[in-house]
Amino acid sequence: MKPVIAFVTGGYSGEAVVSYKSAITIEQNLDPEKYEVYRINITPEEWFHPTADGGKIPVDKSDFTLTIAGKKIRFNGVFIGIHGTPGEDGKLQGYFDLMGLPYTSCDAAVSALTFNKRYTVAVAAFGGIRVAKSLHLFKAQPLSSAQVLAQLKLPVFVKPNNGGSSIGMSKVNLPEELAPAIEKAFKEDAQVLVEEFITGREFTIGVYRSKGAIHVLPITEVKSKKEFFDFEAKYTPGLAMETTPAEIDAALQSQLEMNAKKVYELFNCRGVVRMDFIYEPEIKEPFLLEINTVPGQSEASIVPQQVRASGGTLKDFYSALLDECLA
């Protein structure tokens, strides 16, 4: 009997559009010879399995099952393809834990922690990983621009503390730009992270666990044609130059891989995660920016690029993630 897998996509945030882009690649590469896969769309209005003829079969949320032609479909595992809430922030993971269902991402606690950028860097710093100096702002207790600038040096990045895809993010070079940037970020989230800008080379690294061992995918160097790698640069062809594998010497490659493995272990990650680092050339150290526990999987996304650069196929890669989760 083939394992029965629920592939979940969609989500409750603006990142759902990115989830649906990832879904195309994932669906094309989940091996039908090995798994019986049912797509589940999770939206704020309904959870359903879309049928070939355009119909919708509702999910029974009491036990996460489908009933098709009078037969109850129970799942052996879940492939998580939701960016943003509830698939990347631990909410769905907690639900699947209650259902006793294994899934391909980090657990509920790690997902919730890494979805919060400030808590991520705080735990990383505690574990000996270098991070930028930052301030955590709350809508209920706002700080003035002067209070922020008394503690941090310009330029700074201002970003919503939760969420991804660089929505609501700004780079601030002048004091008068800070208040509007904070206001823009607060439109996306009730918490905001203000972080000192680190100059250097930006690298992003996919890391996953298979057969109990931690594997690092080929490293990507990202150079944005805009001032930084924002939503537009991420999703507009030609605005960012991504080089996989990065053109770096063996010593830097080893240093980045070692840091990526350390972060994966420190946070007790599962499945594939993507970490962003800035390598500061003067002190010759990588600084961790953030951790994505459900990285993009569209054709142009970084993890699929890295899998191809490693000489592997996405079909084998997704099988490895599923086999690890089912084990």
Side-chain angles (χ1 to χ4, degrees):
M1 288 285 286
K2 288 190 281 197
V4 184
I5 302 298
F7 162 50
V8 297
T9 184
Y12 294 176
S13 75
E15 286 192 81
V17 291
V18 186
S19 304
Y20 292 126
K21 280 183 182 169
S22 289
I24 298 165
T25 311
I26 294 169
E27 282 193 308
Q28 284 170 348
N29 291 284
L30 287 173
D31 192 345
E33 308 267 303
K34 289 185 74 175
Y35 314 103
E36 190 181 329
V37 179
Y38 291 83
R39 174 178 173 147
I40 306 288
N41 282 10
I42 290 186
T43 73
E45 297 74 40
E46 56 189 339
W47 294 19
F48 64 93
H49 167 60
T51 58
D53 59 4
K56 295 177 179 179
I57 294 167
V59 171
D60 183 342
K61 290 186 196 171
S62 71
D63 58 1
F64 197 67
T65 58
L66 295 171
T67 302
I68 299 176
K71 184 183 165 215
K72 209 169 178 64
I73 310 286
R74 294 187 182 277
F75 299 106
N76 300 108
V78 184
F79 194 106
I80 294 185
I82 293 178
H83 309 298
T85 190
E88 200 169 2
D89 57 0
K91 294 187 175 78
L92 212 47
Q93 287 80 358
Y95 166 79
F96 289 134
D97 287 340
L98 291 174
M99 298 296 141
L101 275 174
Y103 43 84
T104 54
S105 76
C106 293
D107 67 23
V110 174
S111 299
L113 172 68
T114 53
F115 200 68
N116 184 307
K117 294 182 176 75
R118 169 67 176 200
Y119 296 163
T120 302
V121 294
V123 171
F126 188 75
I129 302 287
R130 282 190 180 265
V131 297
K133 196 174 171 193
S134 64
L135 271 181
H136 194 182
L137 310 185
F138 298 89
K139 213 172 215 169
Q141 304 138 304
L143 292 181
S144 69
S145 295
Q147 286 171 303
V148 172
L149 293 173
Q151 297 175 69
L152 299 177
K153 289 200 302 280
L154 288 172
V156 293
F157 272 124
V158 179
K159 44 194 170 184
N161 191 43
N162 298 286
S165 296
S166 307
I167 297 167
M169 186 165 153
S170 311
K171 185 180 176 195
V172 173
N173 297 303
L174 302 167
E176 59 270 24
E177 295 168 355
L178 185 56
I182 291 172
E183 197 179 321
K184 176 182 166 184
F186 270 132
K187 284 193 177 122
E188 299 294 330
D189 192 5
Q191 300 178 27
V192 166
L193 183 66
V194 185
E195 195 169 59
E196 282 187 1
F197 179 65
I198 301 160
T199 51
R201 296 170 73 180
E202 184 166 347
F203 297 100
T204 185
I205 308 172
V207 188
Y208 68 103
R209 194 188 292 274
S210 175
K211 296 181 179 156
I214 297 171
H215 302 269
V216 181
L217 288 164
I219 297 165
T220 300
E221 180 166 13
V222 179
K223 289 179 185 160
S224 176
K225 289 183 183 168
K226 296 191 69 189
E227 200 176 4
F228 63 94
F229 196 42
D230 65 359
F231 183 85
E232 196 188 353
K234 266 183 191 176
Y235 298 107
T236 309
L239 280 185
M241 199 169 90
E242 295 159 4
T243 309
T244 312
E247 291 164 4
I248 50 178
D249 61 36
L252 177 53
Q253 182 180 333
S254 166
Q255 191 182 13
L256 287 166
E257 286 175 351
M258 198 174 70
N259 273 268
K261 273 188 173 177
K262 186 176 175 182
V263 168
Y264 195 96
E265 286 173 340
L266 176 68
F267 283 85
N268 190 28
C269 293
R270 293 204 314 232
V272 63
V273 307
R274 210 194 75 229
M275 307 164 194
D276 300 339
F277 288 93
I278 294 265
Y279 180 76
E280 218 285 358
E282 276 186 27
I283 61 165
K284 295 187 165 46
E285 284 281 351
F287 284 69
L288 178 71
L289 298 179
E290 60 179 88
I291 301 170
N292 295 281
T293 57
V294 185
Q297 299 293 332
S298 71
E299 264 314 297
S301 294
I302 286 168
V303 166
Q305 281 181 44
Q306 294 180 343
V307 170
R308 289 192 288 268
S310 74
T313 66
L314 284 175
K315 190 173 274 186
D316 289 344
F317 180 65
Y318 295 153
S319 292
L321 298 181
L322 273 172
D323 292 347
E324 183 72 13
C325 128
L326 294 170

